[in-house]
Amino acid sequence: KHDSPVSCAKKAKTVKAQQILLAELEAHPAAWPFLSPVNQKSVPGYRKVIKKPMDFSTIREKLTNNQYLSLESFIMDVNLVFDNCEKFNEDHSEIGQAGHSMRRYFDKRWTELLK
Ligand SMILES: Oc1ccc2c(c1)N[C@H](O)CC2
């Protein structure tokens, strides 16, 4: 039922790092395409093409509700945001470029924080 103090402290460190990382993503100037769920009613093709929609507000909700059981599952959701963006947008479009920029930033920051 109860974690050992060591694994409890380790889990707290991971949650803290996830909170820091998500706050930095939300505050990034290029975050605007990713802040809230894509309106699938108003974007032709999105529902059919993108099998697993994801965005920063949904990640924030899941983090708040303790739905990330591991660091890996958190990183997978963040990468899903950027993979969806690459699938639906041309690389050199405004949103495509925002996705590449945000992915580079995330890769750099989680490596600095957790590796
Ligand atoms: O021109 C448009 C219009 C709407 C969207 C995109 C591009 N890309 C986003 O990934 C999804 C929403």
Side-chain angles (χ1 to χ4, degrees), residues 4 6 11 15 22 24 28 35 43-44 54 61 64-65 69 84 88 90 94-95 97 109 113:
S4 70
V6 169
K11 196 178 295 181
V15 168
L22 183 55
E24 291 178 350
H28 194 290
L35 292 174
V43 181
M54 187 49 63
E61 186 74 21
T64 303
N65 301 339
L69 302 182
N84 289 344
F88 200 77
E90 296 289 333
E94 192 177 2
I95 292 182
Q97 283 296 299
R109 286 298 294 140
L113 267 182

Side-chain angles (χ1 to χ4, degrees), residues 58-72:
T58 301
I59 295 172
R60 170 64 64 191
E61 186 74 21
K62 291 177 71 172
L63 193 58
T64 303
N65 301 339
N66 299 308
Q67 286 178 253
Y68 291 113
L69 302 182
S70 68
L71 171 62
E72 286 76 16

Side-chain angles (χ1 to χ4, degrees), residues 13-43:
K13 179 176 185 284
T14 306
V15 168
K16 183 77 184 142
Q18 291 167 348
Q19 287 166 340
I20 292 168
L21 282 166
L22 183 55
E24 291 178 350
L25 292 174
E26 291 166 332
H28 194 290
W32 54 271
F34 316 111
L35 292 174
S36 49
V38 172
N39 182 337
Q40 299 186 46
K41 293 193 198 71
S42 66
V43 181

